[in-house]
Amino acid sequence: MAAKAWGGRFGQQTDPRVEQFTESISFDARLAAVDIRGSQAHARMLAKVGLISDDECQQIVDTLDEIGGEIERGELPLRVELEDIHMHVESALIERIGDVGRKLHTARSRNDQVSTDLKLFVREAIETVDTLLVDLQRAFVARGDHDIDIILPAFTHLQRAQPVVVVHYWLAYCEKFERDRERLADCLSRVNICPLGGAALAGTTLPIDRQQTADELGFNHIAANSIDISSDRDFLIEFTFSLSLIAAHLSTWAEEWIIWFSTEFGFIKLPDAYTTGSSIMPQKRNPDVLELIRGKTARVMAAVNQLLILVKGLPTAYNRDLQEDKIAMFDAFDTVVACLELAPDIVAGAELQVEHINTRLEEGFLDATTLMEYLIQHEVPMRTGHGIVGKLVSLCETKNCRLADLSLEELQQACDKIEADVYDILGTTNAVRALTSYGSGGRRPVEEQLARWQKRLNDT
Ligand code: ARG
């Protein structure tokens, strides 16, 4: 059995069940590449300040490269008794270059090391997620020119409310994902503060140069308090929260399209490659991918809770509980990536059932609010106009007709301010055309926003 790196003061071997219980190599092996990068930067700094020689530094850096390659190719055996990725790398180094390898951990602890690794990992993860978010935005925007003439009833309370150009929906999703990108960028500003050199919790008596490691690893700042460094997982929680909100947005979209895909709505047809059948009902085509995007959101959201609960009772500085942080974050990250990788093709492949949508476009009095605003423009107080249109809707319901089917006499009986030009705004198509305010769902404002998005994505 290998002697423990920390075994000096121990009189007994560790119980194998304790090794099994405390290991993290089964999930932190994926930090190998960032761990090695961090260690190489640390070694260069040690050489610069004279704690190791240039030759020793070179040996360490080269051997770490070798070890990194072996881990990547699955050639380095992973052993629970070595606990975690940090110990695997260090013990492989010592095995190969002996005493020189024994110098690497000078002025460093696994506490600042694991935090550095996590920050390097999250930094790349943010970039991955950000790129995928842009891909998804592109998929929505790419539908823009094709879908710009299609009108859809928009719903509040899942009740028909007002009509919009369908592209308004596509861009609504884009706005949400844009805020997600902003949140990630903001999170990155705190990820980009270097913990390395905080050592265990109190810093070190050795003459290290923290700026040098921070610079080499591309961090913008150095964390200013070693005891804070040792316990800080804010960046991980923020990142996981950002992932949760992405998942929430994906889930909203998925839910919406699941509804639209139902026979009752019949707004959209999902591509066959992204739907599945039933083992018993031959006619079925199920939106399983969208359902699972909605379903997997639960574990991403759970991860934020897991992390918050993990840190809430810890005294400041490192506690072993923190080892569990990676499980939650990796899972949230992998889940969101998996969803984002599938989403753009679903968006690109979905077909709006325009004919079916149009057959029912005049249902639900989508132009009622437009009529009320017509009255406002004819000097009727808003609340009075609301009442008048309400009565007219009720009249239509008894006559089983649309507002646009009422005669001018009937309309004028309800309100003498109404003139013949009212028919220019009645009916769903007219109502959409009448929507002109900035950010509204009418043809013109949506075209403006679409152009803005096309330009923005071209520039990205
Ligand atoms: N595997 C540990 C973790 O992920 C590394 C840090 C261990 N530090 C310690 N003092 N035992 O948190």
Side-chain angles (χ1 to χ4, degrees), residues 24 28 83-84 86 110-111 114 233 318 320 322-323 325-326:
S24 57
D28 67 15
E83 278 185 47
D84 56 27
H86 323 295
R110 270 186 294 165
N111 301 348
V114 73
R233 291 297 181 275
Y318 182 82
R320 190 62 178 269
L322 290 177
Q323 177 167 291
D325 59 3
K326 288 166 274 305

Side-chain angles (χ1 to χ4, degrees), residues 342-412:
L342 280 177
D345 288 336
I346 300 178
V347 171
E351 288 168 34
L352 285 164
Q353 303 301 92
V354 183
E355 244 168 71
H356 180 76
I357 292 167
N358 286 347
T359 56
R360 303 191 57 191
L361 215 46
E362 296 299 330
E363 290 176 31
F365 305 100
L366 295 167
D367 51 358
T369 308
T370 326
L371 176 57
M372 180 191 72
E373 289 181 348
Y374 171 91
L375 296 180
I376 292 170
Q377 285 184 318
H378 290 72
E379 278 143 29
V380 178
M382 180 272 170
R383 194 51 65 203
T384 312
H386 190 286
I388 292 168
V389 178
K391 286 212 181 73
L392 286 170
V393 166
S394 177
L395 175 65
C396 288
E397 276 173 341
T398 56
K399 297 184 61 175
N400 193 22
C401 71
R402 308 173 309 156
L403 285 166
D405 298 326
L406 295 174
S407 68
L408 190 57
E409 291 75 58
E410 284 169 314
L411 291 165
Q412 284 173 337

Side-chain angles (χ1 to χ4, degrees), residues 149-194:
D149 288 318
I150 302 169
I151 295 169
L152 213 61
F155 301 82
T156 60
H157 313 265
L158 205 53
Q159 302 288 319
R160 285 187 172 224
Q162 287 184 276
V164 296
V165 172
V166 70
V167 177
H168 204 42
Y169 271 100
W170 305 165
L171 299 185
Y173 302 135
C174 287
E175 295 286 344
K176 291 179 197 299
F177 295 128
E178 191 62 19
R179 288 194 297 277
D180 291 331
R181 296 187 61 211
E182 287 167 15
R183 248 182 302 279
L184 288 173
D186 183 57
C187 173
L188 183 63
S189 66
R190 282 173 293 280
V191 170
N192 253 334
I193 300 174
C194 188

Side-chain angles (χ1 to χ4, degrees), residues 42 45-51 105-108 112 195-199 202-213 222 226:
H42 184 67
M45 181 280 291
L46 292 177
K48 186 189 165 212
V49 301
L51 284 165
H105 212 51
T106 303
R108 186 178 75 172
D112 58 337
L196 198 56
T204 173
T205 58
L206 298 166
I208 59 171
D209 180 350
R210 292 190 55 202
Q211 190 64 52
Q212 146 106 14
T213 36
I222 312 173
S226 61

